[in-house]
Amino acid sequence: MAQMNFGGVTENVVTREEFPLEKAREILKNETIAVLGYGVQGPGQACNLRDNGFNVIVGQREGKTYDKAVADGWVPGETLFSLEEAAKRGTIVCMLLSDAAQIAVWPHIQQYLTVGKALYFSHGFGITYNDQTHIIPPKDIDVIMVAPKGSGTSLRTMFLEGRGLNSSYAIYQDATGHAKERTLAFGIGIGSGYLFETTFKREVYSDLTGERGSLMGAIQGLLLAQYEVLREHGHSPSEAFNETVEELTQSLMPLFAKNGMDWMYANCSTTAQRGALDWMGPFHDAIKPVMEKLYQSVSSGNEARISIESNSKPDYREKLNAELKALRESEMWQTAVTVRKLRPENN
């Protein structure tokens, strides 16, 4: 492992240089990797592993996602099977179904988790909240995790571009004595940029907080609040959207993604710098209590309970689509459709 300094804190990370792909292939050469689920993470991880020379099969029920797997080159009866058959054939069984689907499928696949196999996750939800999910693995298998810090789509896209998406990894149960090398080899195999250690609990706590916070929930709330204030004070939809979303995503995000927030500030006007430095404190002070409340809701299991109850209802998909439709048809995101069409690359 390499020691790296993160803001004054030293952490151990695993890089491709010290754990090359050839080493990963050697460790997993006798393994059959069974990817269960071909929705969000499944396609990226399965295709990356296959392209990197690992023995991979996919388990998926027939339907839209099954057809997608076929279109991606997985062959029914050869590399594409039912969930149960894939779990039976696999030596590393990857639970890449949604959290709700994992709960539903668990009673049907746990019998195939025989001595010496590995049960793999990319999210700590099912194990951490097993008092609610009832996913309790047998003691004679490895239970491991690699969690890419991004969507399966990003994982695949960056892989095809020759880049890697950073991932965390964790060992929940080491029954074989080889759980760690299996985990690291898997992480390199899916194309991780580098790997950093965590636990199943820390992964799910940070993941749920991030999704509800800066990655999705908080950013939509922040953008909408600013957009609404501008509109209520007479600004046009185009002006409100450009000042709220377009400049952020198209101009400023690439700057601080490249070299940090201070570098982005230094590349803006002195008026913008002064205002940003003055107002970041009030925003921090207003938002931090909300973030703490969110974290406590995650760590208490309340967010898991809400998710499980909501996503297990027979009409959950219908209600979800209705909420997403309302978001999509809001004035701010309908304005986005027009603005995107007006970008120079689209003309």
Side-chain angles (χ1 to χ4, degrees), residues 266-280:
N267 284 272
C268 293
S269 71
T270 55
T271 301
Q273 292 170 13
R274 183 68 269 147
L277 290 167
D278 289 346
W279 277 92
M280 70 181 186

Side-chain angles (χ1 to χ4, degrees), residues 18 40 120 131 183 191 233 257 262 312 333:
E18 62 184 304
V40 179
Y120 167 95
D131 59 327
T183 306
H233 285 276
D262 63 314
S312 297
W333 292 114

